[in-house]
Every structure is written in C-alpha cells, then in structure tokens.
Amino acid sequence: EDQVTQSPEALRLQEGESSSLNCSYTVSGLRGLFWYRQDPGKGPEFLFTLYSAGEEKEKERLKATLTKKESFLHITAPKPEDSATYLCAVQAGGGSNYKLTFGKGTLLTVNP
Amino acid sequence: DTAVSQTPKYLVTQMGNDKSIKCEQNLGHDTMYWYKQDSKKFLKIMFSYNNKELIINETVPNRFSPKSPDKAHLNLHINSLELGDSAVYFCASSPWTGSGEKLFFGSGTQLSVL
C-alpha cells in the first residue's frame, strides 16, 4: 500500500528563517509527487508536481525537490503569509487506480 | 467566480439522519472527486467520476452514495449518519482522469454528527 510520511508535523519559523519540509514515500511505481498548500477552512491549493528523481520546481520562495525516496519543500526567507499546512501526495503508476495518497501535512507558522 | 463550489459549508445533524452535499465545478473538467479529511487531517479519496462514470470507489460504507447528473456536478448523499462520519468533505475536479496534478478543491463541508 502506498504510504506518505511528512515531517515535522509542525514547524515554527521567524520571518526570513529558511527551512525545509520533508515528505518520505513508498509507492509501487511513482507516477507523480504533488505538493499542495492548505489554509485554515479552505481546500488544498496545488503548488507543484514532480515526476522523476532529480527534478526541481520553484515558485516564489518555495522550491520542491525529489529523490527516489523523498521530496523536500524548501522555503527561503519565509513571510507570515506562507503560514499554512503543506500537504504532500503521491500517485502510483500503472493500472486504473489514479488516486492520490496524501500525507498528514506539515503545519508551518511564520512569525513576523 | 468560484471554480469548485460545494454546499453547505457547515452541516450539523443528528445520528440516523440522511443528508446531502452538493458540488459544482465551472472549469469544464471531466473528472470530479470526493475526499474526506478526518480529525487527524488525513485526506483520503472516497469516489471519483469521469464524465458521469464512477471510476474510483474506495472502501466506503454503502451509506455513502455519489451521484453525478452531469460532468459539472457531483453530489454526495449519506444515509443513516453515524458519529464517525463527522469530518470535512472536499469536492475536487481535474482536467482528465489520472492527471493527479492540479486537482482543484472546493472549500469543504464540515459535517458534525451529534
């Protein structure tokens, strides 16, 4: 069964203090790894898709990287508006089951 | 315009009641989903429809019945509600089956069963 483990569960940073969130996964044939952002009371919002080891994607202060076992979401010089829960999800290749398996998320709080 | 809209936002009801949650997307997507986010914040897929056809049906009690009258709508009806059904239910859509990426989520329906 596909599994996604995110760490830490919660992370508190000062504004401008860079850090990384981790997403470890086990999946039978990775079709894609996805990062979403979820604000309180809202649905997840798509950030990135990574397809193969070594791939990197960037958006503003966020950079996602992928290895064969894990993905990192690097946050450079975060601002208070980056505070949210960041969700990682994997999609297995093959067959007709196209479901995403989500991790529990990392709650990021950026203090001014 | 809201891309994926679901109603109601909050639903408080008694055990044993039957309730429905409605979802509509105006993105022209072919595939729609229902996800459940429990108290531990895990987001798990329940159902997926592609052009009104059921393509994913996870291990969900048959008290839960999705209905897709057209590809822009996916409703969720729940019979005989139980305490354990309390959760946030999210509707989502995507351009085509299997894309995974760019799921567009609604803002969720918080269901509380008393």
Side-chain angles (χ1 to χ4, degrees), chain B residues 56-77:
Chain B
I56 294 177
N57 184 350
E58 289 296 287
T59 308
V60 177
N62 57 17
R63 299 182 293 103
F64 291 79
S65 53
K67 289 187 179 178
S68 181
D70 56 62
K71 74 173 191 177
H73 295 83
L74 179 61
N75 304 321
L76 183 65
H77 188 76

Side-chain angles (χ1 to χ4, degrees), chain A residues 20-21 37 40 47 50 52 75 90 92 108:
Chain A
S20 298
L21 312 182
R37 168 190 171 131
L47 292 173
L50 301 167
S52 57
I75 303 176
V90 295
L108 174 66

Side-chain angles (χ1 to χ4, degrees), chain B residues 38-54:
Chain B
D38 60 24
S39 58
K40 295 182 179 180
K41 302 301 182 184
F42 274 112
L43 199 60
K44 292 184 179 179
I45 192 168
M46 300 173 68
F47 302 103
S48 176
Y49 271 75
N50 184 40
N51 274 321
K52 302 190 297 176
E53 180 182 351
L54 181 66

Side-chain angles (χ1 to χ4, degrees), chain A residues 4 31 34 36 38 41-46 48-49 51 87 91 96-105, chain B residues 9 33 35 37 40-45 55-56 58 90 97-108:
Chain A
V4 178
R31 185 183 179 97
F34 309 89
Y36 285 82
Q38 186 173 21
K42 295 188 177 181
E45 178 184 351
F46 171 81
F48 304 109
T49 308
Y51 295 103
L87 299 170
Q91 186 180 39
S96 60
N97 190 341
Y98 299 114
K99 68 176 183 178
L100 290 183
T101 300
F102 280 86
K104 190 176 177 180
Chain B
K9 175 72 174 174
Y33 310 80
Y35 277 83
Q37 190 170 43
K40 295 182 179 180
K41 302 301 182 184
F42 274 112
L43 199 60
K44 292 184 179 179
I45 192 168
I55 56 170
I56 294 177
E58 289 296 287
F90 287 99
T97 302
S99 67
E101 66 185 284
K102 291 192 177 180
L103 284 179
F104 290 80
F105 284 86
S107 58

